[in-house]
Amino acid sequence: MNRVLQARRLGVDTYQEPVVFMRADCDICRSEGFSALARVRLTIGNASLIATLNVVHSDLLAAHEAGLSEAAWQGLLASDGAEVHVDHPEPVESFSAVRGKIYDRPLSAKDLGAVVSDIHAGRYSGLQMAAFLTACAGQRLDLDETEHLTRAMLAAGDTLHWDAAPVVDKHCVGGLPGNRTTPIVVAIVTAAGLTMPKTSSRAITSPAGTADTMETLAPVALDLAQMRSVVEREGGCIVWGGAMRLAPVDDVLIQVERPLDFDSDGQLVASVLAKKLAAGSTHVVIDLPIGPTAKLRSTADAERLGQRLSVVGSRCGVQIRLIQSDGTQPVGRGIGPAAEARDVLAVLKNHVQAPVDLRLRAIELAGAVLELGHAVAPGRGNALAAELLDSGQAWTKFQAICEAQGGLREPPAAACRHEIRARQPGVLRAIDNRKLARVAKLAGAPVAAAAGLELLVHVGDTIEMGQPLYTLLAEAQGQLDFAGAYAAAHPDIFTIEEAV
Amino acid sequence: MNRVLQARRLGVDTYQEPVVFMRADCDICRSEGFSALARVRLTIGNASLIATLNVVHSDLLAAHEAGLSEAAWQGLLASDGAEVHVDHPEPVESFSAVRGKIYDRPLSAKDLGAVVSDIHAGRYSGLQMAAFLTACAGQRLDLDETEHLTRAMLAAGDTLHWDAAPVVDKHCVGGLPGNRTTPIVVAIVTAAGLTMPKTSSRAITSPAGTADTMETLAPVALDLAQMRSVVEREGGCIVWGGAMRLAPVDDVLIQVERPLDFDSDGQLVASVLAKKLAAGSTHVVIDLPIGPTAKLRSTADAERLGQRLSVVGSRCGVQIRLIQSDGTQPVGRGIGPAAEARDVLAVLKNHVQAPVDLRLRAIELAGAVLELGHAVAPGRGNALAAELLDSGQAWTKFQAICEAQGGLREPPAAACRHEIRARQPGVLRAIDNRKLARVAKLAGAPVAAAAGLELLVHVGDTIEMGQPLYTLLAEAQGQLDFAGAYAAAHPDIFTIEEAV
């Protein structure tokens, strides 16, 4: 029986999941009984992956062709007309552990190793990954499982080794729009002579990740050799971790998690720690913003997550220092990649209109990193951080890092802007971070780098009727309208109470 | 801005999920910032649905065309060149309740009503449905949530009303390959004059559902009017519920659940009861097979599930009678649609080689239905059932029902067969139902109706070296080989111990 078809690049982008298009009347569909959404193994030469089948009932393809989506094409290193062997994939045995977890059977180190390795090899469908993420979401992973997941994610990628010690890092457990301290902290800390090879991720459920923001200022998709050269020259970098093979399964899961818009304590801890361990970090400061609409709702939540980070971190050999911070409102003015980048530049340049809240947070975090990394005596971190910022040494270092990464550039400006105004006067009591973040996402952030918003008020301000609360930013009118409609339908993003 | 494209039927089968293919350089992708896997709203005239976007970077399509998958084409009642309006869908608000459930917040009646209604309207992606199913899996739904889900599923479809009372039904909580009693029970019970309008489902995770098996004997995809006419004429029917609008969301969820291969107590109860309520049933016998490799592993499991079925059933107005049965090994000889149909025929025709276990189970269940439906005095059900079977009245009635449904036909024979033989002699102590079911599925069941297997031995039999244990059945050699390889790698499906 002929199980070979000829590869054809269809130019269809299906994101992460490889898809193969095959004619219903082709030899293989007929003899193997494959039907739509079947999982099939494709092999070209030495490259092999599992793809989801879309069955074609038209002349879009010839019966001897296998139409490949971009993910399948690239994963198979295909060329037009190459012989594609098609057969049944082995059943994915590791998924039975996921099924067990749904019935509250704990996941062993072996289970999670197999799950992560199968995901890494492209053996899980999107549906299976969604089930795995959901089964592990909330509080469903215990400390042991979290440690196993961390080690499995670490093992599925490369690990960096640095001659310097300590190797410091910082991480913020998201949920606070605009809180873009990382580029500032790296500039301060490396200006003090510490080594901080920072790998950041793109947004999961937020309007911007550090990598998204930093990309508007300099190239971030560096490979390992490029990153190493930047760090050797400048002591630090701010690059996108996904361009390397550091805990790469994390990035695959993020693609599935994003449209679901939820997180998991265990997966969050594993994701953070695996990335840090893979980057060779030895000392990490973790910022935990707390607020009613932040990711962490209460001190209890922050302590629970912090505890998990510390314990699992210490088991895996990384020293953690936790900082709980105010998560009641956004930090800085901008929300969205380019808007946040402008805030970062203003702070580094000691601009008179630089957002004070962003500056103070960056100083506090940099101070903690300086102390944890033994660059300064305990209690003296903040003062040193402020000094490095005020003197311009941090800004000089930041420019040098950007140049080393490929060149400092200007963040893009939004083509479309629209002011959202207060519908009632009073005192601003609260801002709903989640809904405000959703507005920025509906406007196109983070995919559209210039999209997002600029916040013009803070909690505690006295607001006049009709006063602008924020400016919507978009790259296209359709997205501006769409975000504007959502904003108009949700005036409760801002709680404004009449002054008594 | 031009948000209109021209419909083009691509003939691509993506199963349940509507997919739209649009050029990356089309006006809409450019102005709206849509990227791959975005969810977009498509409208043609009055028909509207949400589809998943695949972005095309080739000349597969023209820039003014919207390529529609079969599900999108049919859902939009499209015609070639029709104007397709494309815009952003409203955010699916009900998914925030699913997110809450992941963090252990209970789902209210309103929440589940909204989730089911959004799924019904095609607003959930496959990933979102997988997350919903996983969040509700295992024991995660309580009695209230199960009742809410039942009522929501019922409300999302049509409900049948019958003049007759009582309206009886039976249901088996799966997990036992080959246990195809339903067609026999319907024949016996309607021969006794009761009304039993049986709607069955296709297989979820098993090699055959009753609808799959029955379809090899007679048409089952009847619409409401056709079904009503069959029941009015014969007192009963055995049709596929999915061809009607009875709790239709259940069928959508099944498409997602099938590749995940797991179930959920709450969703199982809601699925069973919503279908029964929608079909107008008032009295239902539920068979709960128990065994180490059946769906219900222990008496405790069966009691827990039975309790949930009884309580929720009674709250929703249907009387339940539970029967716990032996689930340690398959029932009958055949596993797979056609093979099971042959067993059903053998029992109804009182064939000398008819499987005794299948006959006895059908009699027990039919007896319980007869008693619950007040067709006979308590304690006399089994005797009446056996009498109706032995006298040929059940067979006559079955033929009449099949004729009324469109004509009795012969189940298809498998083109490829292969005997699996014992590798050691001894006494057969146990059969792994799950792995045996997997063999039948790998051979192509239930999609390939003739595929599956014929079991040739029972637990307790003395087995000789090389004795045939079962015959694999497939429609294609590739599938036979595939199932055979799995069978060869898993001799532990049969536990054969040396006789002492």
Side-chain angles (χ1 to χ4, degrees), chain A residues 94 97-101 105-112 115 132 135-136 141-142 144-145 148:
Chain A
S94 72
V98 176
R99 233 176 268 125
K101 179 65 183 169
R105 280 198 295 280
L107 291 159
S108 68
K110 199 178 149 204
D111 291 337
L112 281 162
V115 169
F132 171 64
C136 297
L141 293 186
D142 68 18
D144 287 340
E145 291 170 310
H148 302 328

Side-chain angles (χ1 to χ4, degrees), chain A residues 1 3 8-17 19 21 30-37 53-60 70 88-93 95 99 101-105 125-132 134-135 137-140 255-256 259-265 297 438 442 447 475-479 481-482 486 490, chain B residues 1 3 8-17 19 21 30-37 53-60 70 88-93 95 99 101-105 125-132 134-135 137-140 255-256 259-265 297 438 442 447 475-479 481-482 486 490:
Chain A
M1 183 186 38
R3 284 184 176 175
R8 177 167 157 204
R9 184 175 198 162
L10 286 186
V12 173
D13 179 4
T14 55
Y15 229 42
Q16 195 70 47
E17 190 162 347
V19 174
F21 297 77
R30 279 164 43 207
S31 66
E32 299 292 317
F34 287 132
S35 60
L37 300 199
L53 174 64
N54 283 359
V55 174
V56 175
H57 297 272
S58 68
D59 56 4
L60 204 67
E70 289 301 286
H88 292 268
E90 292 295 300
V92 184
E93 294 287 348
F95 195 73
R99 233 176 268 125
K101 179 65 183 169
I102 288 163
Y103 291 89
D104 294 322
R105 280 198 295 280
S125 66
L127 295 182
Q128 286 175 315
M129 284 193 270
F132 171 64
T134 310
Q139 306 298 316
R140 300 241 159 80
Q255 308 290 7
V256 176
L260 296 177
D261 203 10
F262 63 69
D263 292 301
S264 135
D265 267 18
R297 309 291 179 99
R438 174 170 260 184
L442 294 178
V447 174
E475 294 187 356
Q477 189 65 36
Q479 293 183 300
D481 294 347
F482 187 52
Y486 180 86
H490 294 84
Chain B
M1 182 184 42
R3 283 183 174 174
R8 179 170 155 201
R9 183 175 199 162
L10 286 186
V12 173
D13 180 1
T14 55
Y15 230 43
Q16 195 69 46
E17 192 164 344
V19 174
F21 296 76
R30 279 165 42 206
S31 65
E32 301 290 317
F34 287 133
S35 59
L37 299 201
L53 175 65
N54 282 0
V55 173
V56 175
H57 297 273
S58 69
D59 56 3
L60 203 66
E70 289 302 284
H88 292 269
E90 292 295 301
V92 184
E93 295 287 347
F95 194 71
R99 235 176 267 126
K101 179 66 184 169
I102 289 164
Y103 291 89
D104 294 322
R105 280 197 294 281
S125 66
L127 295 181
Q128 287 176 315
M129 283 193 272
F132 171 64
T134 311
Q139 306 299 316
R140 300 240 159 80
Q255 307 290 6
V256 176
L260 296 176
D261 204 8
F262 63 69
D263 292 299
S264 136
D265 267 18
R297 309 290 179 101
R438 174 170 260 183
L442 294 177
V447 174
E475 294 186 356
Q477 189 65 35
Q479 292 183 301
D481 294 347
F482 187 52
Y486 180 88
H490 293 84

Side-chain angles (χ1 to χ4, degrees), chain B residues 349-417:
Chain B
K349 291 179 180 178
N350 295 308
H351 200 287
V352 64
Q353 291 194 323
V356 177
D357 54 352
L358 181 64
R359 173 186 153 90
L360 292 178
R361 278 172 182 262
I363 288 174
E364 191 189 354
L365 289 166
V369 174
L370 291 170
E371 293 178 12
L372 186 67
H374 307 296
V376 71
R380 286 278 308 137
N382 288 11
L384 176 57
E387 193 186 310
L388 291 164
L389 202 50
D390 293 342
S391 67
Q393 291 176 73
W395 170 231
T396 303
K397 173 56 86 175
F398 185 77
Q399 294 173 84
I401 290 173
C402 288
E403 287 309 323
Q405 289 188 197
L408 178 65
R409 56 199 178 195
E410 198 64 33
C416 310
R417 304 171 66 94

